[in-house]
Amino acid sequence: MSDRVFGGVGLALAVFYIWQATLIEESFIQDMVGPKMFPFIIGAVLGLSSLWFLLRPDPSPRWPGAGRLFEIGMAVAVMVAYTIMLPELGFVIATAIASAYLTWRLGTRPLQSVVAGVATSLGIYVVFRLILGLSLAKGPLGF
């Protein structure tokens, strides 16, 4: 039953996400792909994944304990805080903090988590900003 609920929520979210992507205004000067393609791809993958859970649910799902549910809740809270702080701190700093916390909770030592968070943030920045030329949130350091 829980897999079907999960699949239904995911499918509804995918439909909503694709619908919102159709509302993106496009400039008359743009590349062939356009700004809608990436959200469409994400929505399609989410929709197909959700259909799998609807059509082929686990016959005996096992729910995590209270401690693990708390960890999942904290990860969600970090991602919500990330989206709120992204415009204030900028991409590099906000991503480094969120990545460091999440890798720490996945089991790395605190110092390794900080290194992984900074490396992840800088690596994504290099790919998306410097190589692909995409605009990312600028922080107090100007990048």
Side-chain angles (χ1 to χ4, degrees):
M1 175 67 177
S2 62
D3 281 359
R4 289 209 168 115
V5 171
F6 178 68
V9 170
L11 189 59
L13 184 62
V15 169
F16 178 76
Y17 194 78
I18 291 172
W19 171 62
Q20 288 295 306
T22 64
L23 301 178
I24 295 173
E25 292 186 28
E26 296 186 30
S27 170
F28 67 94
I29 300 174
Q30 66 183 12
D31 59 6
M32 289 182 60
V33 176
K36 295 180 180 183
M37 185 56 65
F38 188 66
F40 281 155
I41 292 170
I42 291 174
V45 169
L46 177 60
L48 291 172
S49 301
S50 298
L51 279 175
W52 176 265
F53 284 104
L54 279 171
L55 301 175
R56 310 257 320 179
D58 187 356
S60 58
R62 203 175 53 155
W63 282 83
R68 183 57 77 193
L69 285 175
F70 177 76
E71 289 285 340
I72 293 169
M74 288 301 294
V76 169
V78 165
M79 295 309 296
V80 169
Y82 174 73
T83 61
I84 293 169
M85 295 309 297
L86 192 59
E88 304 298 321
L89 296 177
F91 178 82
V92 174
I93 296 171
T95 303
I97 293 169
S99 297
Y101 174 80
L102 293 173
T103 56
W104 173 59
R105 295 315 307 147
L106 286 171
T108 60
R109 294 187 179 119
L111 182 59
Q112 291 173 327
S113 295
V114 170
V115 170
V118 170
T120 299
S121 177
L122 292 176
I124 294 172
Y125 180 82
V126 166
V127 170
F128 282 89
R129 179 72 183 126
L130 302 179
I131 296 173
L132 297 176
L134 300 175
S135 178
L136 299 173
K138 291 185 179 181
L141 302 176
F143 57 87

